[in-house]
Amino acid sequence: MKKLIFIKSFLTLVVGGCLLLSTGCSAPQPPQLSAVYDRFVYLIENATDINTVFFGEGLPVYSRDGEEAQKQNMYYGAADDGNEYVKPYAMFSSIDEIKAAAEQVYCDEYLESLYESLFTGYTAEELGTVLLPKYSEDEKSLYQNSTVTPLTSGAKVYDYATMTILSDSTETTVRVEIEAYDEDDADERFTLTLSFVYENGDWYLNSPC
């Protein structure tokens, strides 16, 4: 009888241990596309303006060699550092306004990697040169540096019906594939991979789009 009780107890422990292992080792699953679809579309669509500021042509400025700037002697006595006045009707009139808009769509870690080059400048040791920030400001105005080369031009159009979640996604990091095309060339489609992270109670972009 004691032997039978021992065997039963042993089997109970083995079964219980297997259940614990299977429960503890199962990785949290990524969300269903239907649960995040609206939020992801919102982020992609609302990233367009900030992407133009960060990676594209930027904000409208008074060009140093433009007729208006020359007529008003806007840059008389100013340092030849490439900085140009951002026009008063631009979408943003300060660095804080740019950051506030960016933080509505991009996650903290991704923005931290951009802010130094955009607003502070940094030394590129591999090039042996100092790279100037794209934007700077003083008590009078916001400036955009004309020597910073845009990385992109034009906007993309996304086919949201093609959005699919990739298998390496997790509960808090989701990667999707989606088809897109440049707004001036609808016939030339390409596939992009975008990354999103869950932080501060919501999803945010973790890659350029």
Side-chain angles (χ1 to χ4, degrees):
M1 179 65 70
K2 288 183 179 180
K3 186 175 181 181
L4 182 59
I5 293 173
F6 173 78
I7 292 173
K8 286 182 177 180
S9 299
F10 177 75
L11 290 174
T12 300
L13 288 172
V14 170
V15 172
C18 289
L19 289 173
L20 285 173
L21 284 173
S22 63
T23 302
C25 294
S26 59
Q29 296 300 304
Q32 295 293 315
L33 181 59
S34 59
V36 294
Y37 178 86
D38 289 344
R39 176 63 177 173
F40 286 4
V41 171
Y42 167 86
L43 293 172
I44 295 170
E45 289 294 307
N46 283 273
T48 300
D49 289 338
I50 201 66
N51 287 345
T52 300
V53 174
F54 279 2
F55 312 115
E57 294 298 325
L59 299 169
V61 298
Y62 292 108
S63 174
R64 283 177 176 256
D65 56 3
E67 182 179 351
E68 190 169 3
Q70 292 182 0
K71 193 178 293 185
Q72 298 184 41
N73 291 320
M74 288 179 128
Y75 296 101
Y76 178 78
D80 187 17
D81 55 5
N83 284 328
E84 298 178 330
Y85 290 102
V86 171
K87 292 185 176 181
Y89 60 78
M91 184 177 301
F92 305 109
S93 60
S94 70
I95 289 175
D96 281 345
E97 288 182 6
I98 297 174
K99 288 183 176 181
E103 288 158 14
Q104 294 298 308
V105 292
Y106 284 110
C107 71
D108 294 342
E109 185 176 5
Y110 179 68
L111 288 177
E112 185 178 350
S113 70
L114 292 176
Y115 280 174
E116 182 180 13
S117 61
L118 286 167
F119 306 124
T120 305
Y122 64 99
T123 301
E125 295 181 358
E126 67 278 8
L127 300 176
T129 186
V130 175
L131 300 180
L132 297 173
K134 185 170 185 176
Y135 297 99
S136 58
E137 64 184 352
D138 57 24
E139 65 279 0
K140 296 184 297 182
S141 185
L142 175 66
Y143 305 92
Q144 180 173 288
N145 197 293
S146 62
T147 67
V148 178
T149 304
L151 300 177
T152 62
S153 61
K156 300 183 187 73
V157 178
Y158 290 86
D159 183 353
Y160 294 110
T162 67
M163 188 190 302
T164 57
I165 292 180
L166 297 177
S167 60
D168 59 352
S169 298
T170 69
E171 186 181 28
T172 57
T173 301
V174 170
R175 295 173 70 245
V176 304
E177 277 190 348
I178 185 170
E179 290 183 12
Y181 56 88
D182 292 325
E183 61 181 352
D184 56 354
D185 190 2
D187 294 328
E188 190 66 32
R189 286 188 167 230
F190 45 85
T191 301
L192 295 173
T193 300
L194 304 179
S195 176
F196 302 83
V197 297
Y198 191 82
E199 68 176 23
N200 303 322
D202 215 338
W203 290 95
Y204 293 89
L205 273 162
N206 190 32
S207 62
C209 68

